[in-house]
């Protein structure tokens, strides 16, 4: 059997999430669940399966101490379901304490370097992306959204870090890569550690919600936090990992690079419905067989749509799972129900987002002014 | 015989400058000398021995077209004789045309990353370094001095470039290095190419005066200019190379890392005199032998002091050379004369520089305002 491979830039395969614990030192989330006063769907449904030092965040919540939640987006297009996954976690952990502050990076330098998108183009996309997270529930009062192209601190940190790492260390974490990818990794480490700079309140727990395939970035950041502890007194960042969502096309993971594998929050309800209708499922070859054996929810991206995003509540997810695996529900009707939920979500989301475009601009401006005011000589 | 090795971070050996032409494609300066209406001591004394595309700069001068002269300093200490060498070239090429503009980078991010110097510390050093170049003759009206820690454009460019290079390309130019040095190289390429950005007047010839050991950075910048021509329309930067000055201690090259090998423009005349008095020379073992054979100016760092910096004029250099190699002048008296010149220079320089500290602050501030005004969304 192949070893699991976690690769933020390639095709990751995670066959057995429990093995991530033994192989990579990712801790299971389940034992910590009793410590939460309130759980998100990601927690109660086992979507957030693993973490590093999540206890440090729960401690901060319990003791009303400041912590940060750090995430970001490459503004190279519409907000897709994978972005929503991370945003949902970010927003949930922001909501757990008045002492939580979100830092959200718009990776426009990466979008330029990787996709040739001008800063003018990505500035527009960024506003829309920020309106998306506001529509998903971000509290703008405790959020700082910045563009990499304007945030000198991230660049400074990545340059500093580049002197503290060795090629062997990067190779051990990422494998043999081109320098551009290593540099991108160092910039992400700068994003993750920036909230702990003195002018931003100094050392504090920082939670980074990510897909399991992004763990190498977390390991690098934690390693750098240790290496630069004497300079910055960094607290090693914490992370929480969500499962990878199955591709509608049947692949192991939805990906921005393969639009048919999912849909975006910009898609019309009709476009999204088409994708769902055409989706791969865990259904059997014949109706008879499915009635007899039940379908396989565990390999079904339509089931993932319910579980990860669109079910009304946990009970709804459980009912879909039960009816599916017992052969009570057939794939056609199941898709039809999912389509109804997707349509309703998108219609509502588009309405909210359109109303929040100005708030998004405001948040970007307010964040920029705030960060400029903390700039030091 | 060993091949010549040009290594910006290590010990370079240049045994025969003419071989740099055949091995690295560096062109000799001599054939272009008739095109200069006025020559600097570096040109007339053969100190500036090689170049790449210097003709492009002379064309710009002749045609009254804009060009830039790009250089910089790591603000990790006092201005030393090597910095003066580069500054002298920079100032000379600025003086040749009203259309010339100097860009001078204060590499404070590097000083932090390499030497652990805080931005507060390097900010002070930078003012002093800038006062030094003003005292050496820089025209502040056509100069932009910036700190790497404040110039987002350099960081953006280096990030962009990191995606356009391959590990093999960097290895071919620099040998196998740690990523921090590669990153430093990409930042320097950002410095060199920044003056050609649209908001700074767009594509134009840029001259970079450097020591021969810095040629790899020039090759990288020229290579990147080609690679990103379709995006930025970069003109490949030009360079002019000065000889490496012999160390007072007898080594092949003065170095900031070995303070005894030279002196700085912060040293008192007495300190500098001591270094010169203790210097290695090209003298013979006995007076008799020296009278008979003459001394060896070609391996003498004291002769280099005359030739590179402190002789009154070219005729003076020639006379010292003649008297030395003919055994007319002995090392003791030669050092005594050199000490007199060094003392006079330093006394004058300190006076000028102290009077220019405020102008240095002004230039930094003016440059910062200028660059901020050209920042674009």
């Amino acid at each position: 059997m192949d070893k699991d491979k976690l690769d933020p830039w390639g095709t990751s395969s995670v066959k057995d999430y429990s093995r991530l614990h033994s192989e990579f030192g990712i801790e299971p989330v389940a034992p910590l669940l009793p410590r939460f006063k309130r759980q998100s769907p990601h927690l109660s449904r086992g979507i957030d399966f693993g973490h590093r030092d999540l206890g440090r965040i729960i401690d901060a919540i319990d003791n009303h101490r400041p912590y940060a939640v750090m995430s970001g987006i490459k503004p190279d297009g519409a907000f897709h379901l994978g972005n929503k996954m991370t945003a949902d976690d970010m927003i949930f952990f922001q909501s757990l304490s008045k002492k939580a502050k979100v830092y959200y990076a718009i990776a426009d330098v990466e979008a330029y370097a990787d996709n040739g998108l001008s800063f003018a183009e990505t500035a527009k996309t960024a506003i829309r992306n920020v309106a998306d997270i506001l529509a998903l529930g971000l509290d703008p009062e405790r959020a700082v959204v910045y563009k990499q192209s304007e945030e000198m601190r991230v660049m400074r940190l990545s340059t500093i870090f580049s002197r503290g790492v060795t090629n062997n260390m990067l190779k051990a974490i990422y494998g043999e890569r081109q320098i551009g990818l290593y540099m991108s990794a160092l910039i992400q480490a700068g994003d993750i550690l920036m909230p702990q700079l003195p002018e931003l309140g100094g050392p504090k727990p920082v939670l980074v919600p990510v897909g399991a395939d992004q763990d190498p970035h977390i390991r690098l950041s934690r390693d750098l936090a240790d290496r630069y502890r004497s300079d910055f007194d960094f607290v090693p960042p914490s992370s929480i990992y969500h499962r990878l969502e199955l591709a509608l096309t049947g692949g192991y993971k939805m990906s921005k690079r393969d639009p048919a594998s999912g849909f975006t929050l910009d898609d019309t309800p009709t476009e999204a419905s088409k994708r769902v209708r055409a989706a791969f499922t865990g259904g059997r070859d014949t109706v008879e067989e499915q009635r007899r054996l039940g379908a396989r929810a565990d390999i079904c991206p339509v089931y993932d749509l319910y579980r990860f995003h669109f079910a009304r509540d946990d009970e709804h997810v459980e009912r879909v799972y039960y009816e599916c695996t017992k052969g009570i529900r057939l794939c056609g009707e199941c898709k039809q129900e999912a389509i109804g939920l997707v349509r309703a979500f998108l219609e509502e989301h588009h309405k909210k987002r359109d109303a929040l475009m100005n708030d998004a601009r405001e948040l970007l401006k307010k964040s920029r002014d705030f960060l400029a005011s903390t700039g030091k000589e």
Side-chain angles (χ1 to χ4, degrees), chain A residues 90-121:
Chain A
M90 174 177 88
I91 291 162
F92 171 69
F93 279 94
Q94 184 197 39
S95 76
L96 288 178
S97 165
K98 289 285 168 219
K99 296 283 193 178
K101 189 160 186 175
V102 157
Y103 286 83
Y104 197 72
I106 307 287
D108 57 351
V109 174
E110 309 247 332
Y112 181 91
D114 294 340
N115 312 79
L117 298 170
S118 74
F119 294 122
E121 288 172 87

Side-chain angles (χ1 to χ4, degrees), chain A residues 316-330:
Chain A
H316 187 189
V317 181
E318 280 159 32
R319 187 160 49 77
V320 170
Y321 185 83
Y322 178 81
E323 293 176 356
C324 165
T325 54
K326 294 295 173 199
I328 298 166
R329 128 186 330 238
L330 295 181

Side-chain angles (χ1 to χ4, degrees), chain A residues 99-154:
Chain A
K99 296 283 193 178
K101 189 160 186 175
V102 157
Y103 286 83
Y104 197 72
I106 307 287
D108 57 351
V109 174
E110 309 247 332
Y112 181 91
D114 294 340
N115 312 79
L117 298 170
S118 74
F119 294 122
E121 288 172 87
T122 50
K124 273 190 216 160
T125 307
I127 294 166
R128 206 170 175 80
N129 292 162
V130 171
D132 279 311
I133 55 174
L134 288 172
L136 291 172
L138 184 81
D139 177 357
E141 292 305 314
R142 287 178 289 112
V144 176
V145 180
Y146 63 91
K147 296 178 188 166
Q148 278 179 343
S149 70
E150 295 176 356
E151 192 37 63
M152 201 64 221
R153 276 168 279 221
V154 171

Side-chain angles (χ1 to χ4, degrees), chain A residues 114-248:
Chain A
D114 294 340
N115 312 79
L117 298 170
S118 74
F119 294 122
E121 288 172 87
T122 50
K124 273 190 216 160
T125 307
I127 294 166
R128 206 170 175 80
N129 292 162
V130 171
D132 279 311
I133 55 174
L134 288 172
L136 291 172
L138 184 81
D139 177 357
E141 292 305 314
R142 287 178 289 112
V144 176
V145 180
Y146 63 91
K147 296 178 188 166
Q148 278 179 343
S149 70
E150 295 176 356
E151 192 37 63
M152 201 64 221
R153 276 168 279 221
V154 171
M155 290 296 178
R156 280 183 200 163
L157 282 174
S158 65
T159 305
I160 291 165
F161 295 158
S162 77
R163 310 304 165 97
V165 299
T166 62
N167 295 357
N168 279 342
M169 179 181 156
L170 292 171
K171 208 170 141 187
I173 296 178
Y174 294 100
E176 184 97 44
R177 300 293 185 154
Q178 293 296 336
I179 187 175
L181 290 183
Y182 287 153
M183 184 130 166
S184 155
L186 291 167
I187 291 174
Q188 294 202 36
D191 285 322
I192 291 172
L193 292 167
M194 183 180 80
Q196 298 195 52
L197 288 179
E199 68 268 31
L200 298 175
K204 64 176 74 64
V206 178
L207 178 68
V208 193
V210 284
D213 53 342
Q214 302 298 309
D215 184 53
H217 294 323
I218 303 297
R219 274 183 283 157
L220 176 64
S221 301
R222 289 168 59 90
D223 201 335
L224 287 166
D226 279 342
R227 264 162 215 255
Y228 287 90
R229 185 164 297 177
S230 64
D231 288 23
F232 293 99
D233 205 20
F234 286 136
V235 177
S238 306
S239 52
I240 186 160
Y241 303 95
H242 58 72
R243 282 171 192 270
L244 305 179
E245 194 172 354
L246 295 168
L248 294 180

Side-chain angles (χ1 to χ4, degrees), chain A residues 29-40 43 54-55 57-58 61-62 92-93 96 207 240:
Chain A
V29 163
L32 290 177
L33 289 183
R35 292 193 59 191
F36 284 89
K37 295 201 179 70
R38 179 161 62 82
Q39 286 185 25
S40 67
L43 287 176
L54 182 61
I57 301 297
I58 305 177
I61 295 168
D62 289 349
F92 171 69
F93 279 94
L96 288 178
L207 178 68
I240 186 160

Side-chain angles (χ1 to χ4, degrees), chain A residues 273-286:
Chain A
S273 302
K274 266 190 212 155
R275 296 264 169 79
V276 179
R277 200 167 291 120
F280 171 87
T281 72
R284 303 290 175 177
D285 289 346
T286 64

